[in-house]
Amino acid sequence: MEYRKLGNTELELSAITYGAFAIGGNMWGGNEKKDSIDSIHASIDNGVTTIDTAPFYGFGLSEEMIGEALQSQNRSKVQLLTKFGLVWDGSNKGKGDFFFDADDNEKKLPVYKFASKENIIKEVEESLKRLKTDYIDLLQIHWPDSTTPIQETMEAMDLLIKQGKIRAAGVCNYDVSQLKEAQKTISLASNQVSYSMLNRKIEADLIPLTVAENIGIIAYSPMERGLLTGKYFTDTKLKENDHRNGYFGQFDLQQVKTLIEELSSLAHAKEVNLAQLVLRWTTLQKGITIVLAGARNAEQAISNAKAMDFDLTALELDFINQAISKIK
């Protein structure tokens, strides 16, 4: 495993980071608790020291399972990244930006983006309790909230740093203008954004800014929620309540299938699987600090960690980039 310094902080994070969205179950067709906890332990055993989660993942379940899994681990050797700002329990009293209706056991729960100072402090206390810890290594706003001034949100995180409850502050899904506004109040550690072979939009303007400002980039959905593993072009079927039934529709699936076929030849030659090849390519892109990879069982977790056990030559990277360039 390779460990990388996050932005201007002292945090050293594993290049492959455990992404804990799927183990929450909601939007992913459910979960198996034992498999989820086993996947966390397997990740740590294979050098993955960083775990990224959020209260919204499973409406607290993801954080709770992580807290349980880490009771047998050395907390100082693990970096916990979590978020705030998605409210589903009505505690925001209708304030914030309406985001979408989430499914919870066939019930619709309205989710709001809400990042007021009061709400941040409340959410952090709840996360600390679920995670069974007294500090969070990196706290991130989950999505921008247009109803709360960015300055107020950043001041709240600065206060939490001074109180010792968080070690660093980050954002998620911020564009260039939002990032610049936030930087007026606090020195940000990172911006967590969607990035993959099929989605490279941040290379145009966001990456140049974060490189210049020494802000880390945490890449999520590098495998486009499993699409780039290739298994959904075979016999793998999604459950009816899995959000990917709609998510995959944004892509030209025939072009993606062609890309996968081309990349599979290189993966075979290097004796790695397609997911590992995709993850390794992502870790080598300019400005990318760490890459999130979800795992629902120990086998997937070990496979993700081993993506750092090989390298890609300049010729191999050129081959991959040429294949990607054919996607329109």
Side-chain angles (χ1 to χ4, degrees):
M1 184 54 63
E2 182 181 322
Y3 302 93
R4 298 175 175 179
K5 189 170 178 288
L6 184 67
N8 55 13
T9 74
E10 296 305 313
L11 293 175
E12 295 276 347
L13 310 183
S14 53
I16 298 296
T17 287
Y18 183 96
F21 187 6
I23 67 168
N26 65 313
M27 298 175 65
W28 291 84
N31 75 317
E32 294 292 337
K33 181 178 179 180
K34 182 181 184 303
D35 287 346
S36 298
I37 291 178
D38 285 349
S39 71
I40 296 168
H41 289 159
S43 294
I44 294 171
D45 290 344
N46 285 273
V48 174
T49 62
T50 311
I51 300 173
D52 178 86
T53 185
F56 174 70
Y57 302 162
F59 307 115
L61 181 60
S62 176
E63 287 187 329
E64 288 173 0
M65 285 193 292
I66 291 166
E68 182 177 337
L70 294 185
Q71 292 309 291
S72 60
Q73 306 293 321
N74 184 338
R75 171 68 180 91
S76 66
K77 302 294 185 183
V78 178
Q79 303 85 46
L80 287 177
L81 285 47
T82 194
K83 309 177 186 78
F84 66 85
L86 289 190
V87 180
W88 67 88
D89 60 3
S91 61
N92 60 321
K93 298 181 175 60
K95 298 178 182 177
D97 285 324
F98 175 74
F99 198 8
F100 66 99
D101 284 318
D103 287 319
D104 180 30
N105 295 321
E106 299 184 354
K107 293 187 301 183
K108 295 291 186 183
L109 284 180
V111 178
Y112 286 81
K113 294 179 282 188
F114 186 51
S116 72
K117 178 181 178 180
E118 181 182 14
N119 183 62
I120 296 166
I121 292 170
K122 170 183 174 291
E123 285 202 55
V124 166
E125 292 302 323
E126 292 169 346
S127 288
L128 289 171
K129 184 177 181 180
R130 286 190 289 258
L131 291 166
K132 300 183 188 299
T133 187
D134 57 2
Y135 71 96
I136 293 162
D137 293 278
L138 177 70
L139 181 68
Q140 309 155 91
I141 178 173
H142 205 151
W143 283 89
D145 164 27
S146 69
T147 70
T148 302
I150 288 176
Q151 180 179 345
E152 177 182 337
T153 301
M154 298 304 130
E155 286 176 349
M157 286 202 282
D158 190 43
L159 174 63
L160 289 165
I161 290 173
K162 291 173 181 174
Q163 292 175 341
K165 294 184 178 180
I166 68 173
R167 294 180 64 191
V171 297
C172 301
N173 305 298
Y174 265 36
D175 62 24
V176 167
S177 63
Q178 292 163 334
L179 209 56
K180 288 180 177 178
E181 182 64 26
Q183 284 282 89
K184 294 176 182 178
T185 303
I186 195 171
S187 179
L188 289 172
S190 57
N191 188 10
Q192 182 175 147
V193 287
S194 176
Y195 180 76
S196 75
M197 291 178 172
L198 306 180
N199 176 16
R200 302 175 67 177
K201 290 178 288 189
I202 64 169
E203 293 176 355
D205 56 359
L206 191 61
I207 291 291
L209 175 64
T210 57
V211 168
E213 296 284 334
N214 194 20
I215 299 171
I217 287 287
I218 300 174
Y220 73 82
S221 294
M223 292 185 285
E224 289 299 355
R225 311 192 188 190
L227 183 62
L228 287 173
T229 65
K231 62 185 179 181
Y232 297 104
F233 291 100
T234 57
D235 294 329
T236 301
K237 301 298 181 184
L238 296 171
K239 292 184 179 179
E240 188 176 338
N241 60 341
D242 193 313
H243 77 289
R244 290 173 293 178
N245 285 299
Y247 182 84
F248 291 162
Q250 68 184 289
F251 303 108
D252 184 324
L253 296 180
Q254 185 55 54
Q255 288 189 349
V256 175
K257 185 178 181 181
T258 300
L259 171 65
I260 287 170
E261 289 169 351
E262 290 192 47
L263 298 185
S264 293
S265 63
L266 176 58
H268 180 74
K270 295 188 73 67
E271 299 182 336
V272 300
N273 62 43
L274 191 57
Q276 290 167 334
L277 186 72
V278 171
L279 287 174
R280 190 68 179 110
W281 175 89
T282 311
T283 68
L284 293 170
Q285 300 312 295
K286 182 179 179 180
I288 302 299
T289 310
I290 62 173
V291 178
L292 302 187
R296 304 185 72 161
N297 54 52
E299 181 182 6
Q300 291 176 356
I302 294 168
S303 174
N304 290 342
K306 290 186 178 300
M308 296 303 294
D309 288 355
F310 67 97
D311 214 337
L312 292 168
T313 67
L315 282 175
E316 289 167 341
L317 285 169
D318 185 59
F319 171 81
I320 293 171
N321 290 334
Q322 287 291 329
I324 295 170
S325 69
K326 299 173 186 176
I327 298 285
K328 302 301 181 184

